[in-house]
Amino acid sequence: KLATAAAHSSLECVLAKRGYFEGREQYVLYLQRFLAFQEEAERALDTPITLEVVPDWTFRRRAHLARADLEILGVPAQPFVNASGRLTTVTTHEQALGLVYVLEGSTLGGAYLLKQLAPLGITSTHGGSYLSSYGSDRGKMWQRFLFMLEEAHLRGTRTESIAAAAIAAFAAARYYLTEAEPVGTISTERVCSMVA
């Protein structure tokens, strides 16, 4: 957590400055942009190596939830931005754990974000299933993942390599939420200077 704090803080800065949860259109844009990241992450993680350290990985996939939310909200259920190739296929346990750490960590603030969206009529069953993720099992799923991290550490998995993979994943998520080019257009906007 300490090793990835700066990268995490930079991503939170992006979310705050973009106001993704202040209106329906902004939230739709968040879903479309983050769907692109989620789908790339899932493609990278769809390997037997991931299942060796995160046995329940297939249950943790959430791209389909974002697509369902977009359909409910009446917009195309597809990514808003071009694929960037920011993440490579996972080839080590450390890469798998670092990337899953970022994806799973994003579920923790879901309940808070859903409360922010409540005035817009967004709920866990109406446009907010991606944020709701595991619902009341959110805490349990996070603790289960932390146990997997601890098991990997005891088996000699390199913590610094897990942190490096997580930092790269945070950077990819930030790219998708800010700098990735919308399909068919060019964007050079920069939001929030990257924290070192």
Side-chain angles (χ1 to χ4, degrees), residues 15 24 42 56 72 80 85 89 101 127 134 147 171 173 178 184 190:
L15 293 176
R24 178 188 168 92
E42 291 182 5
D56 62 352
I72 286 174
F80 175 75
T89 300
Y101 174 82
Y134 311 121
F147 178 73
T178 58
R190 295 285 193 274

Side-chain angles (χ1 to χ4, degrees), residues 112-159:
Y112 170 75
L113 295 175
L114 273 177
K115 287 180 182 178
Q116 279 189 273
L117 292 166
L120 305 176
I122 305 296
T123 67
S124 61
T125 58
H126 184 80
S129 66
Y130 179 79
L131 292 177
S132 180
S133 59
Y134 311 121
S136 60
D137 287 334
R138 181 183 292 108
K140 183 189 302 181
M141 291 296 289
W142 176 247
Q143 289 303 316
R144 185 180 300 170
F145 175 68
L146 291 182
F147 178 73
M148 294 173 195
L149 273 177
E150 182 61 24
E151 280 190 321
H153 176 69
L154 293 174
R155 290 194 304 269
T157 305
R158 297 184 304 278
T159 304

Side-chain angles (χ1 to χ4, degrees), residues 4-55:
T4 61
H8 191 184
S9 176
S10 177
L11 185 58
E12 287 185 337
C13 176
V14 165
L15 293 176
K17 287 209 169 189
R18 284 287 175 123
Y20 279 125
F21 304 99
E22 295 175 4
R24 178 188 168 92
E25 288 184 9
Q26 296 97 311
Y27 173 58
V28 165
L29 183 57
Y30 164 82
L31 279 177
Q32 290 174 319
R33 281 185 169 271
F34 213 79
L35 172 59
F37 169 70
Q38 183 78 31
E39 287 190 335
E40 183 174 359
E42 291 182 5
R43 286 193 298 271
L45 286 162
D46 282 342
T47 170
I49 290 173
T50 300
L51 293 173
E52 289 173 9
V53 287
V54 187

Side-chain angles (χ1 to χ4, degrees), residues 59-83:
F59 180 71
R60 294 176 183 271
R61 297 168 60 98
R62 292 187 297 140
H64 66 285
L65 297 178
R67 284 185 173 278
D69 290 338
L70 288 168
E71 288 179 2
I72 286 174
L73 295 173
V75 296
Q78 60 191 25
F80 175 75
V81 297
N82 294 313

